[in-house]
Amino acid sequence: MRRLLIIGKVPPPIGGVTMHVKRLVENLEKEGFNNFDFADLQHGPVRCFFKLCRYEVIHLHISNPAWQVLLALFCRLTFRKLIIAYHGNWGRYTFWGNVLVSWSAWLCSIPIVQNEESLQKALECNKSARLISTFLPSDYIVPLDKCTSSKLAEFRKQHRIIVCTNAWNLTFDKNQKETYGISDLVTYISQQPAFGLVISDPSAAYIRYISDLCGELPTNVLFISIPHDFRNVLQIADAFIRNTTTDGVSLSIHEALQLNVAVLASAVVERSPYCQVYNDLNEMDLETEIRKAEDLLPGKRIESEETPVIEQLMSLYSSALECKILESSKKTKA
């Protein structure tokens, strides 16, 4: 019997968590790690719960703190090993949300976090906390449809410098600010006609929001408001801007660096050393900052820095499964 169950969602919708889960399943299969099963939350929580009851080791990809606590408590009471991947920065919720995150981290077997700052806080709740990135590479880029591809190519011709950004949906942080800072970026770029801004908006929620907020869209801003592979946009861009108010591990930052595209990122969390970090969008000279970001690009260096994420996860899974086998063996002998 397969003994590991991964719980999460795969696209659609397109987002950092769903893309991670999709690539996790694909990479495990590619590496020949067959000792797992997958429960898609889009099939319904009841179906997933009954599936969960058949497994001894669980890897959970749910961002809702209340569900994290409930499942962690269930696994603790039923002697299951629960691994929780916390995809966002530690402390990003309101007071009670953060309390629930701490409780779930204390109850689960292994919390996985995304940066050193989060790791230090997670270790206070659970000494087994691990820092493992959620970025998993994928070689295949799904091409754009012909109409979107033509629009993008024409937009590229019309502007000397193209910058891009993305938002999987319209979301707000605990202070009711736009998580992805798109409206501020649109306002900033609209005042710089030499630049073109491409916004990946797969949910189509942001184009409606910006249209209501600004009225007519600036001519140097292009929305792509259908599901698509963001790497198509990165391939024609001079820079990627991550203007967020909080963050975990940004899939898009990693993809930009892999494609050798300069990255500018807001200084709200610890960022990759290959990013040009800024404090105030409105106070920077964009072209100068892009040149600085280009100087930071890692090239081939990024490929050999550490053990690949999929190998770290397979090692973690194998260790957890082996531990459960030993526990079962001891119970049988007793």
Side-chain angles (χ1 to χ4, degrees):
M1 184 182 72
R2 291 177 176 175
R3 301 172 67 89
L4 167 71
L5 180 66
I6 297 169
I7 300 178
K9 293 181 182 179
V10 295
I14 293 174
V17 179
T18 60
M19 288 302 297
H20 168 75
V21 174
K22 177 177 182 289
R23 292 183 182 181
L24 173 59
V25 172
E26 290 174 349
N27 274 269
L28 287 174
E29 291 173 345
K30 181 180 176 182
E31 294 293 329
F33 188 93
N34 299 314
N35 199 20
F36 80 97
D37 200 354
F38 173 61
D40 192 337
L41 286 166
Q42 298 187 85
H43 294 162
V46 174
R47 184 174 174 180
C48 287
F49 177 75
F50 281 113
K51 200 168 188 177
L52 180 153
C53 293
R54 296 163 44 202
Y55 295 84
E56 297 177 334
V57 179
I58 318 295
H59 189 184
L60 183 64
H61 298 268
I62 296 178
S63 297
N64 186 297
W67 279 109
Q68 289 172 344
V69 168
L70 287 173
L71 288 171
L73 181 60
F74 172 79
C75 289
R76 174 66 73 92
L77 292 174
T78 55
F79 304 101
R80 287 170 167 80
K81 282 194 172 295
L82 177 64
I83 303 165
I84 299 181
Y86 296 94
H87 287 260
N89 195 48
W90 203 271
R92 67 185 175 124
Y93 297 104
T94 57
F95 174 78
W96 283 111
N98 291 328
V99 168
L100 291 174
V101 166
S102 297
W103 286 352
S104 66
W106 177 68
L107 286 166
C108 77
S109 300
I110 304 170
I112 296 177
V113 296
Q114 304 305 305
N115 54 51
E116 287 289 347
E117 179 186 350
S118 296
L119 179 62
Q120 296 310 312
K121 294 175 181 177
L123 284 169
E124 295 175 5
C125 306
N126 190 324
K127 296 300 182 185
S128 297
R130 300 278 298 273
L131 172 57
I132 302 177
S133 171
T134 53
F135 173 64
L136 289 165
S138 172
D139 294 330
Y140 178 65
I141 299 177
V142 181
L144 296 172
D145 64 87
K146 289 184 179 180
C147 180
T148 304
S149 181
S150 296
K151 284 182 182 178
L152 189 60
E154 186 61 29
F155 192 75
R156 168 73 267 189
K157 292 176 185 177
Q158 292 171 358
H159 300 90
R160 184 168 60 87
I161 297 177
I162 295 289
V163 295
C164 63
T165 193
N166 60 8
W168 73 273
N169 205 344
L170 174 62
T171 63
F172 297 87
D173 65 16
K174 62 183 178 182
N175 298 313
Q176 294 306 303
K177 292 183 178 180
E178 283 176 52
T179 305
Y180 297 100
I182 302 295
S183 61
D184 287 341
L185 197 50
V186 168
T187 300
Y188 175 70
I189 292 295
S190 68
Q191 299 166 0
Q192 306 194 51
F195 290 83
L197 170 64
V198 181
I199 301 169
S200 285
D201 172 37
S203 69
Y206 243 113
I207 191 169
R208 295 190 293 268
Y209 176 73
I210 297 296
S211 295
D212 291 341
L213 201 65
C214 305
E216 189 176 353
L217 292 174
T219 57
N220 63 339
V221 175
L222 173 67
F223 276 87
I224 301 181
S225 298
I226 57 172
H228 62 281
D229 192 326
F230 180 56
R231 289 172 293 177
N232 289 284
V233 178
L234 287 170
Q235 286 179 324
I236 63 94
D238 297 291
F240 167 61
I241 303 180
R242 185 75 171 173
N243 191 43
T244 56
T245 61
T246 185
D247 229 333
V249 165
S250 168
L251 169 66
S252 301
I253 286 180
H254 283 277
E255 289 181 334
L257 294 173
Q258 278 206 325
L259 292 171
N260 209 40
V261 176
V263 176
L264 281 66
S266 53
V268 292
V269 295
E270 179 186 1
R271 297 293 193 183
S272 163
Y274 306 124
C275 297
Q276 179 65 18
V277 179
Y278 63 87
N279 291 300
D280 190 333
L281 181 68
N282 295 304
E283 290 184 359
M284 69 176 181
D285 180 272
L286 186 53
E287 189 161 358
T288 300
E289 295 304 304
I290 289 174
R291 298 295 171 254
K292 290 179 181 177
E294 288 173 342
D295 290 338
L296 296 174
L297 287 171
K300 294 294 183 184
R301 282 178 291 158
I302 200 169
E303 296 179 3
S304 59
E305 282 192 337
E306 58 181 25
T307 304
V309 170
I310 195 63
E311 291 184 17
Q312 295 181 55
L313 289 172
M314 287 192 299
S315 175
L316 182 66
Y317 295 155
S318 297
S319 178
L321 290 167
E322 186 176 337
C323 183
K324 288 304 298 181
I325 291 171
L326 289 173
E327 288 176 5
S328 298
S329 177
K330 288 179 181 178
K331 287 180 183 178
T332 301
K333 289 179 180 179

